[in-house]
Amino acid sequence: MKKVLFTILITLFYCTAMYSQHKADSLKLVKLEEVTVSATRATSKAPIAYSNLSEADLKKENAAKNIPSILQTLPSVVAYTEGGTGIGNTSFRIRGTDANRINITLNGMPLNNPETQEVYWVNLPDLSNSLQSIQIQRGVGTTTNGSASFGGSISMQTVHSKPKAYADISTAYGQYNTLSLSAAAGTGILKNGLSVDARYSYINSDGYIRNGKVDHKNLYAALSHYTDRQLIRLIYMNGIQHTGITWEGIDPEMVSKNRRYNPAGEYIDDNGNVAYYDNETDNYYSNIGQLLYTCYLSNSLTLNANLSYNHGYGYYENYKADEKLKKYGLENQIVDGTSYKKTDLIRRKLMMNHLYAGNFNLKYEKEKLALTLGGMYSYFDGNHYGHILWAKYNQNIPEGLEWYRNESDKKDMNVFVKAEFRPITNLSFFAEVQNRYIDYRMKGMDDDLMDLSNKNYYNFVNPTIGASLRFAKNNELYASFGISNREPLRADLKESLKGGGSRNITSERLYDYEFGYKYANSVVAFGANFYYMKYKDQFIQTGKLNDTGYKLQENVPDSYRTGIELTLAYTPTYWLRFDGNLTLSQNKIKNYTAYYTIYDPETWDPIFPYEQATKFFEKTDISFSPNTVGSFTLTFSPFEKEDISFAFVNKYIGKMYYDNTSNPENRLSDYFISDFVASYTLGLKKAGKMDFRFFINNLASIKYNANAWIDTYTFPDGNQDVYRGLYPQAGANLMGQIRYRF
C-alpha cells in the first residue's frame, strides 16, 4: 500500500507541472482562507496573549516530531513524551494546565475528544506537514467552538491550495532506527477554480525505551474550488497508529539502573524466567472528513459554514499476570483438578466513536466595527468494551469473551457573538459572550463491572471583554477579563460514581485577568504579559493513573495561577537572530485536604465502605506546574547570499511536583536541554530546491525525566506504600533530513 501511494504521488509531481494558474486575485484567496479559522483566532488588535506559527516555522526545526514537541519553545509550554523522543505518545501543558483543558480546533472545527477533552496527537501522526499555520492562545482567549479553554487554545489551519502546481518529498533518518517519509503534491489552482492537494506520511521507529516502537501512517487529501468570492473545500484525513505501550512509567530505582527499561508486557514464564509479551501495543484508526464553505455575501458581510465527521476505532492489548478472575465476572477455573482464583491472561480493551459537528459564523466588518455571530452543534457517540483473548488457566472461558461494555452520547451546542470596535485608529475594544449547553449520558458496565449509568447536564455562559491601546508608533497596551466554565471528563465522572472520592465531581470555573505590553520595530520585538487565573473548583491531577495512563483528577475549591510571560525577538544584523521567552509564576491551592483511600493489607482491596485518611495543607503547590519555564533560540546565518543557517534551541523547565502535597520526594528535578539544527537550501534554478537539515537533539545528553505519576496505598495502621513512575527522555541523538520541492 505504501509503495502504491508513493508511486501515485511521485507521478503526480511531474504531471501537475502542465497545469496553469487560476486568474483569481491572490490577496482575495488568502482572505478567503483566513475566514475559515477567523472565529477561533485572535486578530493583531485583540487584547489576547498569543503566538503564531507559519508553515515555514512548522517545518524548519521539525523531522517526524508530533505537534507538542514542535510547540515546546513557545511561552509557558511544557511538552513531554512517554517514549523518550518527540514521536509516539506526546502531550503538553500551557501555564501548568494539562492538555484536556486546552481547546483545539482544526479549520475551526472541534478536534478534542468530547469524553477525554484531549487530542491524542499520536492518532494524527505527522499532522504538522499538513498545516498552513497554528495560533496558540494563552488563557481564556477567544475560543468559540468545542471544549472549554482553561489554559489556552490552539487553532490549526490545513494547507492552502497554492497558485501553481507543486511537489514536496522528504525523508529523514535518525537514531533508534527512526525513519520518516513524506510526499505531497498539488495541481495548483486551475483555470476552472479547482485544485487537488494530497500528502502521505510514514513514520517508523524502535523508540528510546523498550517497546517504545511506532508504526504510523497519515494521509491528507483536499479538493477545493475557488471563485473570486467563494471557497468550497472537501478534506479527508486518515491516521493509522501502532505504538508500543509506554504509559506505565519506570520505577525511580530502575531508572538509575536502566533508563530504557519498560515494564509493559513483562511476566514470569513457567520456568521462572522473565519474558515479554510481544504484542503489548496501542492501536488507533482515525478518519476525519470536513466540508468547508466560505462566501463573501457583500463587501462587508462574510459567511462561513462547516461540517465535519470524525470516526475513531482503537484498542490496546496487553498481558496481565496473576489477575483475579472475579474482576472479570468469572468463576474459579478448575484445570486438572486444581481450582484457580487467579490467572495470567491477555486482554484487549476497545473503543469506537463517532463525532458529528456543524458550525457557522456570519461576520460583518466595516472600518470601525467587526461583528461576528455564530454557533455550533456536535453529537458524539462512543462505545467502550473489552475482550479476553487468552487465559492461562481456562476451564470454560470462550475465546474473545466480552466482559464489559458501556456506551455514551454527548450533545454539545453553543451560540456566540463577538465584536471589535475601534472608535479611533489606535484604540480597540473587544467583547465576546458564548452560551454553551452540554447533555452527556452514560450507560452500561465499566471494566471493573461497576454500573456507569448516569445523566449530566450543564449550561455555561462564558464572557470576555478587553481593550488595546497603541501609542507612540510602536507601543501597545492591552487588558482583558474572561470567564470560562468546563464540565468534568468521562474518567472523572465514572471514578466519582464508584465512590471513594473526597467530594462529588462538579464543573469548574476560571476567572482570567490579563494585562500586557508590546513593543515592535524592524529590529526588536518585546512583550510582557501578566496573568492572574482564579479558579473555583479547579480540576487538579492527583498523580494517580488509571490503567490506560490517564491521570485522575479531583476538584479543589480555591486555587490560582499567576505569573508574567516575557518574550523577546532581536535581529541586530542579517546573520544573527535571538528569540526567547521566560515565564515566572506561582501556582497554588488554598486550604487543600489530601485524601488517601485505606486498603486491606492482606487483599490490597479498598476497605468498604471506603475509609480515607486525610492531611490538610493551608497552601500547597499545584502538581505539574513549574514556577519557571523559559526558552531561547540563537540562529546564525553566516552568508548573506547563501541560504544556510545554524540554530541552537534551548529549553529550561523548573522543578515541579507530581502530587499536590509539596513533598520534595515527589518532585521532578529541573532541566535545561539544548538542540542543534543545521540547515542548507540548494537552489536548482528551474528544477526546484533541495533542503538539507541535520539535527542533534539533547545536545549535552542531559539525563532528565519529563513526567511522572504517584500512587499511594495507606493501611489501617497508618503505614503507606508509595509507587512512582518516571518517564526518562533520550540522551543525545541524531537525525538527518533531505527534502526536494518545486
Side-chain angles (χ1 to χ4, degrees):
M1 183 65 178
K2 290 181 290 184
K3 292 181 179 179
V4 172
L5 286 169
F6 269 101
T7 301
I8 293 171
L9 286 168
I10 291 171
T11 302
L12 186 59
F13 293 164
Y14 296 98
C15 293
T16 52
M18 68 181 69
Y19 294 114
S20 59
Q21 181 178 352
H22 182 49
K23 295 182 179 179
D25 181 79
S26 60
L27 181 59
K28 288 183 179 179
L29 296 183
V30 171
K31 288 184 177 180
L32 279 168
E33 298 279 4
E34 291 174 348
V35 170
T36 304
V37 295
S38 62
T40 58
R41 291 199 171 181
T43 66
S44 60
K45 298 180 176 63
I48 304 296
Y50 68 90
S51 303
N52 288 328
L53 291 178
S54 66
E55 184 178 8
D57 295 328
L58 292 169
K59 291 183 182 295
K60 68 180 180 181
E61 294 170 4
N62 169 42
K65 291 184 178 180
N66 279 345
I67 296 288
S69 299
I70 297 172
L71 303 182
Q72 66 177 337
T73 58
L74 298 180
S76 300
V77 174
V78 176
Y80 55 95
T81 177
E82 291 178 0
T85 62
I87 57 177
N89 283 292
T90 58
S91 191
F92 62 98
R93 304 182 187 96
I94 299 178
R95 295 181 178 175
T97 302
D98 51 280
N100 60 49
R101 299 215 284 290
I102 297 171
N103 173 278
I104 299 174
T105 56
L106 180 67
N107 296 322
M109 303 302 292
L111 201 58
N112 300 71
N113 179 287
E115 289 192 312
T116 65
Q117 297 180 40
E118 187 169 351
V119 171
Y120 297 98
W121 303 100
V122 69
N123 297 341
L124 293 169
D126 204 29
L127 176 62
S128 61
N129 269 325
S130 296
L131 297 180
Q132 178 74 22
S133 64
I134 299 180
Q135 183 178 91
I136 301 92
Q137 299 178 22
R138 304 185 297 279
V140 168
T142 64
T143 300
T144 50
N145 292 328
S147 62
S149 171
F150 259 65
S153 59
I154 296 179
S155 170
M156 300 183 294
Q157 184 176 25
T158 53
V159 289
H160 298 173
S161 298
K162 293 179 171 54
K164 297 181 179 181
Y166 69 93
D168 191 330
I169 184 168
S170 68
T171 181
Y173 185 79
Q175 284 184 259
Y176 317 119
N177 288 321
T178 300
L179 172 66
S180 172
L181 302 171
S182 178
T187 62
I189 302 175
L190 309 179
K191 291 181 178 180
N192 59 8
L194 287 173
S195 70
V196 178
D197 299 272
R199 184 186 64 81
Y200 177 80
S201 292
Y202 171 73
I203 300 173
N204 189 277
S205 177
D206 294 339
Y208 172 63
I209 69 169
R210 190 198 67 79
N211 201 45
K213 57 190 177 185
V214 299
D215 181 4
H216 294 166
K217 304 173 184 68
N218 181 258
L219 173 68
Y220 170 86
L223 173 65
S224 306
H225 181 262
Y226 291 85
T227 68
D228 289 345
R229 305 187 68 84
Q230 180 177 276
L231 166 62
I232 301 175
R233 174 169 291 150
L234 180 64
I235 293 173
Y236 172 70
M237 299 183 70
N238 170 250
I240 301 174
Q241 71 95 352
H242 303 291
T243 307
I245 289 178
T246 54
W247 59 61
E248 294 190 21
I250 306 174
D251 180 84
E253 291 187 9
M254 180 58 73
V255 171
S256 62
K257 299 175 183 177
N258 179 10
R259 293 178 58 82
R260 302 183 68 175
Y261 171 76
N262 180 6
E266 184 178 284
Y267 67 98
I268 304 298
D269 66 17
D270 292 337
N271 297 319
N273 300 317
V274 174
Y276 293 95
Y277 179 58
D278 291 335
N279 201 36
E280 192 89 358
T281 57
D282 182 31
N283 310 269
Y284 201 82
Y285 303 83
S286 177
N287 294 279
I288 298 176
Q290 294 187 335
L291 179 61
L292 313 176
Y293 176 73
T294 299
C295 179
Y296 289 127
L297 300 177
S298 70
N299 290 336
S300 57
L301 193 62
T302 306
L303 172 66
N304 187 48
N306 308 313
L307 297 172
S308 72
Y309 169 64
N310 297 9
H311 172 259
Y313 165 75
Y315 66 90
Y316 74 89
E317 184 173 312
N318 58 353
Y319 189 105
K320 302 292 288 186
D322 212 26
E323 288 284 278
K324 294 179 181 179
L325 287 162
K326 68 177 183 179
K327 286 177 55 178
Y328 299 86
L330 298 171
E331 302 290 338
N332 292 355
Q333 297 294 295
I334 300 175
V335 179
D336 296 331
T338 303
S339 179
Y340 295 94
K341 295 181 179 180
K342 299 179 180 180
T343 183
D344 292 4
L345 55 82
I346 298 171
R347 69 183 190 182
R348 178 177 288 184
K349 286 189 170 184
L350 306 97
M351 65 178 298
M352 181 180 293
N353 55 69
H354 309 267
L355 174 61
Y356 309 86
N359 68 10
F360 81 96
N361 61 79
L362 194 62
K363 184 174 183 178
Y364 172 83
E365 188 168 14
K366 284 289 189 180
E367 287 186 8
K368 294 185 177 182
L369 176 66
L371 186 66
T372 304
L373 171 68
M376 187 200 78
Y377 174 83
S378 69
Y379 175 74
F380 175 83
D381 175 21
N383 294 276
H384 302 263
Y385 50 104
H387 292 165
I388 297 175
L389 304 183
W390 169 86
K392 182 177 181 180
Y393 302 119
N394 189 344
Q395 175 193 7
N396 55 12
I397 305 172
E399 183 179 353
L401 172 70
E402 181 176 293
W403 91 88
Y404 78 95
R405 176 180 288 267
N406 60 79
E407 302 172 357
S408 62
D409 63 77
K410 186 174 185 177
K411 302 178 182 70
D412 189 337
M413 57 204 85
N414 73 70
V415 293
F416 70 90
V417 60
K418 66 178 180 180
E420 291 186 51
F421 178 57
R422 298 176 290 277
I424 58 176
T425 303
N426 294 332
L427 179 64
S428 298
F429 294 99
F430 175 85
E432 173 184 287
V433 63
Q434 179 205 58
N435 183 234
R436 181 170 176 242
Y437 176 77
I438 301 109
D439 178 340
Y440 181 41
R441 308 180 187 196
M442 294 189 288
K443 64 180 180 180
M445 289 191 305
D446 200 14
D447 58 355
D448 58 4
L449 308 182
M450 296 287 287
D451 184 18
L452 293 180
S453 299
N454 70 103
K455 299 178 181 180
N456 305 275
Y457 309 98
Y458 306 93
N459 188 63
F460 301 132
V461 176
N462 303 313
T464 302
I465 58 172
S468 63
L469 174 67
R470 290 160 294 285
F471 62 96
K473 191 177 180 179
N474 297 316
N475 297 269
E476 180 182 351
L477 287 173
Y478 64 87
S480 67
F481 169 71
I483 299 175
S484 185
N485 296 272
R486 175 178 172 270
E487 74 278 15
L489 312 182
R490 172 182 180 270
D492 300 325
L493 287 169
K494 73 175 190 174
E495 293 302 320
S496 177
L497 284 169
K498 296 173 186 178
S502 60
R503 55 180 294 179
N504 291 330
I505 290 293
T506 186
S507 60
E508 61 179 338
R509 176 173 294 176
L510 165 64
Y511 303 90
D512 181 25
Y513 303 83
E514 308 269 340
F515 177 78
Y517 167 76
K518 298 177 185 177
Y519 174 84
N521 60 27
S522 59
V523 176
V524 64
F526 171 77
N529 184 76
F530 170 80
Y531 65 90
Y532 177 68
M533 303 169 72
K534 174 71 172 175
Y535 294 88
K536 180 180 184 298
D537 295 321
Q538 180 184 187
F539 289 120
I540 54 96
Q541 294 180 358
T542 63
K544 184 177 179 179
L545 300 181
N546 67 9
D547 61 359
T548 60
Y550 169 73
K551 292 183 174 62
L552 299 177
Q553 301 184 129
E554 62 179 336
N555 289 112
V556 292
D558 190 3
S559 58
Y560 67 88
R561 303 178 188 273
T562 186
I564 186 169
E565 298 165 324
L566 305 173
T567 59
L568 176 65
Y570 180 51
T571 312
T573 180
Y574 75 87
W575 57 268
L576 177 64
R577 179 181 173 91
F578 173 88
D579 295 274
N581 58 75
L582 176 67
T583 300
L584 303 173
S585 66
Q586 292 289 315
N587 309 274
K588 301 290 185 180
I589 308 171
K590 295 181 180 179
N591 302 315
Y592 173 64
T593 300
Y595 290 81
Y596 303 94
T597 299
I598 299 177
Y599 291 82
D600 186 314
E602 294 185 1
T603 65
W604 285 67
D605 290 330
I607 295 176
F608 186 83
Y610 293 99
E611 296 183 18
Q612 292 187 309
T614 62
K615 186 174 182 179
F616 177 77
F617 299 84
E618 186 174 341
K619 184 180 286 189
T620 187
D621 289 270
I622 301 175
S623 59
F624 302 101
S625 302
N627 293 339
T628 305
V629 175
S631 175
F632 71 91
T633 300
L634 286 174
T635 304
F636 300 89
S637 304
F639 307 108
E640 188 172 7
K641 296 183 179 180
E642 293 287 339
D643 195 353
I644 184 170
S645 65
F646 305 94
F648 292 90
V649 183
N650 307 275
K651 184 76 176 182
Y652 174 77
I653 306 296
K655 299 175 182 178
M656 57 179 159
Y657 298 95
Y658 48 91
D659 73 353
N660 301 294
T661 64
S662 298
N663 183 348
E665 293 184 0
N666 304 329
R667 183 174 66 186
L668 291 173
S669 300
D670 60 337
Y671 56 89
F672 180 90
I673 53 173
S674 300
D675 299 337
F676 172 75
V677 184
S679 303
Y680 173 62
T681 297
L682 175 65
L684 302 176
K685 296 182 180 180
K686 295 183 180 181
K689 294 182 178 181
M690 294 280 292
D691 298 316
F692 302 90
R693 291 188 175 91
F694 176 68
F695 304 81
I696 307 178
N697 301 309
N698 193 1
L699 186 62
S701 203
I702 301 299
K703 294 182 178 180
Y704 70 101
N705 304 303
N707 202 24
W709 59 263
I710 183 170
D711 196 358
T712 303
Y713 286 80
T714 301
F715 302 104
D717 60 4
N719 290 327
Q720 290 185 332
D721 278 350
V722 180
Y723 297 88
R724 299 176 176 87
L726 305 179
Y727 297 87
Q729 304 300 290
N733 60 95
L734 313 179
M735 178 166 281
Q737 183 186 50
I738 300 175
R739 177 186 177 200
Y740 169 68
R741 53 195 168 100
F742 72 82

